[in-house]
């Protein structure tokens, strides 16, 4: 009688010519986790990720929520919808985190108290909301596929208040000086963020040539095409914008000196995917305190434009926001209309 398959499991592989490493054994397959012997916890996470990716739930007739596993709902969403998203790896990580928490529960266990309990155990309410939005999207997709016969509501926590922190001109100058001394690639990132108001993902993903799947900077025409070619349209608008003359001169000089060859922001000749840690170190060294993140550069660009009297509609088009969002977040800073109204209180006929 043949043995029953044990399923994917961890195995510590040791060899004389190299350090021991945890591998995943799945039948006759062997997949390295890249984790050393002392990294058992990380290896367990990668095993769970592997199991989630390999699992293929059955699809049949519509079932009552009490007969539908949450893991099945998440896996179907992971297979059907996540690959087409703008950041599939990040989305997959959120799905796996949801699967780890809800485990083998069924859809009828998704209640208000369950959603609030999930929010409490996360370190960030914003992160919990984003993950529960994924859960809601997965449940909606599952029902639209005809696999569940009832509507299941996901209760989301309140949205976090938008970050109000922005940099003054002197703070921005201090941050730039610090970054040029410590990490020039961070300084280049800061300049692009301040002068274009672009999100960090658009800046780090920008190429110097037109490449499918990437945004790009046309140094001849002076245009930053922030949206990647072929990328699905999302709520985060990324319109192309003209590059201010001063920034364009910087970019052309960076290219001429070999600081950027293929990507706009490079470190040691290679594109980088994340800049948060290096940016945080520059912020700390510049003594700017808490609350300054890469996204602060976008807030700063918006604030400076409003302070200089740029019309709300033009700020919205440049940043890829709605006029209502610009008015709500930045309208109080330097509205010409409000200034005229205030002047009207004291002006004589």
């Amino acid at each position: 009688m043949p043995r029953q398959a044990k399923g994917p499991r961890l195995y510590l592989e040791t060899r004389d010519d190299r350090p021991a490493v945890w591998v995943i054994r799945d039948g006759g397959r062997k997949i390295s986790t890249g984790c050393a012997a002392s990294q058992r916890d990380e290896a367990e996470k990668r095993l769970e990720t592997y199991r989630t990716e390999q699992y293929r739930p059955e699809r049949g007739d519509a079932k009552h929520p009490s007969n539908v596993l949450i893991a099945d709902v998440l896996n179907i969403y992971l297979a059907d919808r996540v690959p087409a998203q703008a950041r599939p790896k990040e989305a997959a990580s959120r799905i796996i985190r949801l699967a780890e928490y809800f485990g083998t529960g069924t859809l009828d266990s998704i209640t208000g108290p369950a959603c609030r309990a999930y929010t409490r155990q996360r370190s960030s309410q914003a992160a919990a909301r984003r993950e529960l939005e994924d859960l809601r999207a997965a449940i909606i997709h599952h029902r639209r596929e005809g696999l569940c016969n009832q509507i299941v509501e996901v209760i989301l926590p309140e949205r976090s208040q938008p970050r109000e922190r922005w940099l003054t001109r002197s703070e921005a100058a201090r941050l730039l000086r610090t970054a040029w001394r410590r990490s020039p690639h961070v300084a280049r990132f800061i300049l692009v963020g301040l002068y274009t108001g672009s999100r960090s993902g658009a800046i780090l993903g920008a190429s110097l040539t037109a490449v499918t799947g990437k945004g790009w900077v046309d140094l001849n025409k002076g245009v930053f095409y922030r949206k990647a070619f072929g990328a699905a349209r999302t709520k985060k608008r990324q319109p192309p914008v003209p590059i201010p003359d001063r920034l364009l001169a910087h970019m052309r000089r960076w290219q001429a000196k070999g600081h950027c060859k293929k990507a706009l922001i490079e470190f040691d000749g290679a594109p980088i995917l994340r800049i948060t840690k290096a940016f945080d170190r520059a912020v700390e060294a510049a003594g700017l305190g808490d609350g300054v993140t890469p996204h602060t550069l976008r807030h700063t660009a918006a604030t400076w434009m409003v302070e200089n009297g740029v019309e709300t509609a033009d700020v919205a088009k440049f940043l890829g926001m709605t006029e209502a969002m610009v008015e709500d977040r930045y309208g109080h800073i330097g509205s010409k209309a409000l200034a005229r109204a205030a002047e009207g209180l004291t002006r004589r006929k």
Side-chain angles (χ1 to χ4, degrees):
M1 185 175 179
R3 294 184 190 177
Q4 186 177 0
K6 295 182 179 179
R9 62 197 184 282
L10 284 178
Y11 172 76
L12 187 61
E13 184 177 67
T14 57
R15 292 186 181 180
D16 295 336
D17 58 338
R18 66 181 67 175
V21 63
W22 288 104
V23 299
I24 298 170
R25 299 184 71 171
D26 186 6
R29 299 180 64 195
K30 187 168 64 175
I31 304 98
S32 175
T33 65
C35 299
S38 59
Q39 297 176 296
R40 176 64 188 254
D41 290 345
E42 182 62 29
E44 292 282 1
K45 291 180 182 179
R46 303 206 177 174
L47 173 61
E48 187 61 33
T49 300
Y50 176 82
R51 284 174 173 160
T52 301
E53 292 174 346
Q54 295 299 309
Y55 178 67
R56 296 292 179 266
E58 293 183 4
R59 305 192 188 207
D61 297 331
K63 299 177 181 178
H64 187 273
S66 62
N67 295 320
V68 178
L69 292 175
I70 298 172
D72 286 354
V73 174
L74 293 171
N75 273 280
I76 289 172
Y77 184 72
L78 186 64
D80 291 0
R81 303 304 298 270
V82 168
Q85 294 184 6
R87 295 183 178 85
K89 290 185 178 179
E90 293 180 14
S93 296
R94 295 193 298 269
I95 295 298
I96 290 167
R97 188 174 293 115
L98 288 164
E100 289 174 348
Y101 179 85
F102 288 104
T104 57
T106 52
L107 272 186
D108 62 328
S109 66
I110 301 296
T111 60
C115 294
R116 288 189 286 273
Y118 184 84
T119 300
R120 285 195 298 271
Q121 58 86 40
R122 292 292 282 125
S123 58
S124 164
Q125 180 168 311
R129 181 184 173 89
R130 183 67 188 88
E131 289 154 11
L132 289 173
E133 285 175 343
D134 284 321
L135 177 60
R136 180 177 62 181
I139 292 173
I140 291 173
H141 174 69
H142 184 267
R143 182 165 51 83
R144 286 176 178 170
E145 288 290 296
L147 303 175
C148 183
N149 58 21
Q150 291 189 17
I151 296 174
V152 175
E153 293 286 348
V154 176
I155 307 302
L156 303 178
E158 294 294 327
R159 288 186 181 275
S160 301
Q161 291 297 315
R163 295 187 180 114
E164 298 292 341
R165 183 73 164 97
W166 53 275
L167 302 177
T168 63
R169 302 275 177 174
S170 61
E171 287 178 326
R174 189 161 78 245
L175 179 60
L176 272 171
R177 286 195 300 270
T178 304
W180 279 123
R181 290 195 301 266
R182 299 170 60 91
S183 307
H185 70 288
V186 176
R188 289 190 278 274
F189 171 84
I190 292 169
L191 275 173
V192 178
L194 289 174
Y195 278 106
T196 70
S198 302
R199 297 180 177 86
S200 59
I203 299 173
L204 297 178
S207 172
L208 294 182
T209 55
V211 179
T212 301
K214 291 182 176 292
W216 72 292
V217 175
D218 188 337
L219 295 181
N220 294 321
K221 294 182 178 180
V223 178
F224 183 5
Y225 297 93
R226 295 183 285 200
K227 184 176 179 293
F229 284 120
R233 186 171 182 176
T234 67
K235 293 179 181 179
K236 294 183 178 180
R237 307 175 188 181
Q238 294 179 304
V241 289
I243 303 170
D245 291 340
R246 292 178 64 182
L247 177 60
L248 185 59
H250 282 303
M251 288 179 171
R252 288 170 174 167
R253 186 165 55 252
W254 300 341
Q255 185 184 45
K257 292 187 175 182
H259 297 314
C260 50
K261 298 176 181 178
K262 294 184 178 180
L264 179 60
I265 308 297
E266 295 181 348
F267 178 70
D268 283 346
I272 57 177
L273 300 177
R274 293 185 179 277
I275 203 166
T276 306
K277 291 183 179 179
F279 184 89
D280 288 347
R281 288 193 292 267
V283 169
E284 183 179 2
L288 295 183
D290 297 332
V292 178
T293 69
H295 203 69
T296 301
L297 303 178
R298 181 169 168 83
H299 288 302
T300 301
T303 301
W304 288 0
M305 282 191 282
V306 172
E307 282 183 333
N308 286 338
V310 179
E311 295 296 333
T312 299
D314 294 331
V315 176
K317 290 177 183 177
F318 191 87
L319 294 177
M321 296 180 177
T322 64
E323 290 187 49
M325 185 180 296
V326 174
E327 187 66 39
D328 180 56
R329 293 190 179 183
Y330 310 105
H332 64 284
I333 295 171
S335 171
K336 288 183 176 180
L338 293 180
R340 288 194 297 268
E343 185 180 348
L345 289 172
T346 56
R347 188 190 303 124
R348 293 185 178 183
K349 272 192 174 183

